[in-house]
Amino acid sequence: MDHTPAIDYRLLVDNLATAILLVDRDLNIFYLNSSCEALFDISLLRASGMPVLNLLHAPSDEFNTEEALKNTLETSQPYTRRDATINVNFKDIHVDYTVSLLNYSRPYHPLILIELNPIDRRLKISKEENLIQQHQVARQLIRGVAHEIKNPLGGIRGATQLLARSLNDPEYKEFTDIIISEVDRLRKLVDTMLGSRHLPSYKSTNIHEPLERVRSLIINQTKKKIKITRDYDLSLPDVYADRDQLIQVMLNIGVNAVQAMMENKEFFVDHQPELILRTRIQRLVTINSVLNRSAVRIDIEDNGPGVPEEIIESVFYPLVTGRAKGTGLGLSIAQNIMHQHNGMIECQSVPGKTVFSLYLPWESDHVAK
Ligand SMILES: Nc1ncnc2c1ncn2[C@@H]1O[C@H](COP(=O)(O)OP(=O)(O)OP(=O)(O)O)[C@@H](O)[C@H]1O
Ligand SMILES: [Mg+2]
């Protein structure tokens, strides 16, 4: 009697965290599983028939991938590469992969099986954990300082008002007005540093609704000087989130993009400033050390000059700014809100293409904190 349990192998392969590629004897792609689609950011439909070397070979890698694959085809000898470089969307990523011959029942149609494990994911997790820790320490420090500054401000304001009333000379009144308006400015800044005082209220939210709101706010602000393109996947599931806080996150990022474009007009001699709002489902994404099968991804992309290189690593830290008038709080607040939603923000930036991606888990077992 056959005791093998009935397993849907297709489902199994598609749920593996290992990326799997099948390649025919002409070295064209025959099949890739979901993890592989996510790894190379390509769909099976687009990839099938494509030369595998397009995916598996990075210009910066000196290894002769083509020869090695052909050798496996001829000799059936498997091989493993550690820390190989592959190039995805112009970005080098590092993978370990094993190549072997699939002994198919049809000997004249051999298939090469390639199993890939990205090692960046591991590297990224530890880097992220470090970042989160440093970020929390910095935020606590800032909150402490902000509190200390806020307390005496009320006293200074009150005393100045009293002083203003007892002064008859209008010339002096001008000075007290200056003190009061500067105190108010400081108070506003300190309030931003302390963050929102409202407790978040989480509800099932369609992220397109806050996104559309942000779009219209930006259109109003920029008076149509910037082209705004929408690229929405309307079939996205709802997420459990605080709508107003999401608006703040998207607005902080959107305003940065607008500022980067409007304040660097010389960058746009032969093209128009453009903001792209994109929504997608992202498979297999690690958020705060948890591997999620899928998450909702919102990209806010601009074609401005990019985040200055010297601050790219620390761009989410409080008080890091590349702008003369910036306070460097926008992104730190946004990242904080996303963490409270069990989500995260990632940034990729080169001149001409800056993408801030927001990730939000949506599956019901990820209930927001
Ligand atoms: N889309 C972008 N393109 C180029 N640079 C960017 C972009 N987004 C952010 N930056 C850089 O990151 C820095 C930090 O942004 P952040 O929003 O945290 O602070 P800020 O904009 O300087 O001040 P604020 O507190 O007023 O938001 C910015 O000063 C800018 O140099
Ligand atoms: Mg900002």
Side-chain angles (χ1 to χ4, degrees):
M1 224 163 73
D2 186 4
H3 289 289
T4 324
I7 294 176
D8 181 342
Y9 288 102
R10 185 66 181 250
L11 191 72
L12 179 72
V13 170
D14 265 337
N15 279 283
L16 290 180
T18 305
I20 301 227
L21 251 176
L22 289 179
V23 176
D24 66 20
R25 64 174 164 190
D26 299 319
L27 304 189
N28 292 329
I29 294 170
F30 180 72
Y31 171 77
L32 35 83
N33 71 346
S34 297
S35 288
C36 200
E37 287 183 316
L39 176 66
F40 289 105
D41 196 15
I42 194 168
S43 68
L44 173 59
L45 204 66
R46 256 194 62 211
S48 65
M50 181 191 267
V52 71
L53 293 174
N54 287 6
L55 294 189
L56 208 55
H57 187 73
S60 57
D61 193 352
E62 282 169 8
F63 182 79
N64 193 334
T65 313
E66 184 174 4
E67 203 170 279
L69 290 175
K70 283 185 173 156
N71 187 47
T72 298
L73 264 177
E74 277 167 26
T75 63
S76 305
Q77 276 291 331
Y79 72 94
T80 296
R81 284 201 68 201
R82 301 228 172 269
D83 201 6
T85 311
I86 56 175
N87 193 280
V88 178
N89 289 338
F90 309 106
K91 215 179 106 194
D92 282 351
I93 56 176
H94 300 99
V95 291
D96 291 343
Y97 69 82
T98 300
V99 175
S100 56
L101 203 62
L102 204 64
N103 271 332
Y104 225 52
S105 51
R106 293 173 298 169
Y108 300 108
H109 298 283
L111 286 175
I112 304 176
L113 168 68
I114 307 175
E115 298 157 73
L116 302 107
N117 281 303
I119 47 182
D120 293 286
R121 193 184 285 155
R122 267 204 314 268
L123 294 177
K124 219 174 95 192
I125 289 175
S126 50
K127 203 173 141 193
E128 247 173 35
E129 276 167 358
N130 266 337
L131 261 177
I132 292 170
Q133 248 179 22
Q134 288 178 18
H135 188 96
Q136 276 169 351
V137 171
R139 269 210 74 78
Q140 269 166 11
L141 192 74
I142 286 201
R143 286 179 73 91
V145 174
H147 248 287
E148 287 308 304
I149 297 175
K150 192 173 172 166
N151 288 336
L153 285 182
I156 297 176
R157 196 179 196 281
T160 313
Q161 275 173 329
L162 286 178
L163 191 64
R165 258 183 248 153
S166 60
L167 291 172
N168 298 324
D169 191 338
E171 202 186 321
Y172 290 127
K173 176 106 186 356
E174 199 181 303
F175 295 142
T176 51
D177 283 350
I178 291 178
I179 299 178
I180 290 175
S181 77
E182 288 297 293
V183 163
D184 286 346
R185 198 169 64 85
L186 259 181
R187 248 212 321 216
K188 241 165 83 189
L189 174 67
V190 167
D191 276 338
T192 331
M193 287 164 101
L194 285 170
S196 164
R197 269 169 297 171
H198 301 289
L199 279 176
S201 101
Y202 294 103
K203 290 198 180 78
S204 181
T205 309
N206 180 328
I207 48 119
H208 295 108
E209 197 267 321
L211 195 56
E212 278 293 282
R213 175 111 182 80
V214 168
R215 189 180 76 102
S216 60
L217 285 170
I218 291 179
I219 291 177
N220 270 331
Q221 194 191 26
T222 58
K223 302 189 184 61
K224 299 197 175 146
K225 280 190 207 123
I226 288 178
K227 181 176 169 202
I228 302 188
T229 306
R230 284 179 286 184
D231 178 4
Y232 294 167
D233 177 350
L234 292 174
S235 67
L236 288 189
D238 285 359
V239 292
Y240 196 58
D242 181 304
R243 171 189 174 273
D244 291 343
Q245 291 200 334
L246 280 192
I247 291 182
Q248 189 180 2
V249 170
M250 295 168 186
L251 202 58
N252 286 4
I253 293 175
V255 165
N256 281 347
V258 167
Q259 285 167 341
M261 292 189 283
M262 304 278 263
E263 288 169 11
N264 293 284
K265 295 223 165 67
E266 68 286 352
F267 189 78
F268 294 96
V269 273
D270 53 3
H271 61 299
Q272 200 193 345
E274 183 180 14
L275 186 74
I276 304 173
L277 307 175
R278 186 183 304 111
T279 60
R280 290 286 183 274
I281 271 285
Q282 174 84 32
R283 283 169 184 257
L284 294 175
V285 50
T286 308
I287 307 178
N288 310 336
S289 314
V290 179
L291 180 66
N292 289 260
R293 291 235 158 271
S294 71
V296 166
R297 187 182 97 213
I298 306 145
D299 291 342
I300 300 179
E301 177 178 333
D302 70 78
N303 61 352
V307 177
E309 216 177 305
E310 61 280 10
I311 61 167
I312 186 108
E313 288 286 326
S314 54
V315 76
F316 291 106
Y317 282 26
L319 303 185
V320 169
T321 179
R323 295 172 41 242
K325 287 191 193 147
T327 54
L329 289 177
L331 287 177
S332 135
I333 289 169
Q335 187 70 285
N336 228 35
I337 293 176
M338 292 301 285
H339 279 158
Q340 283 170 358
H341 282 79
N342 286 342
M344 66 164 179
I345 312 176
E346 261 185 6
C347 165
Q348 290 187 21
S349 178
V350 288
K353 183 170 171 167
T354 298
V355 189
F356 280 85
S357 303
L358 320 180
Y359 294 92
L360 278 169
W362 64 275
E363 286 150 306
S364 48
D365 53 348
H366 288 287
V367 177
K369 275 181 218 159

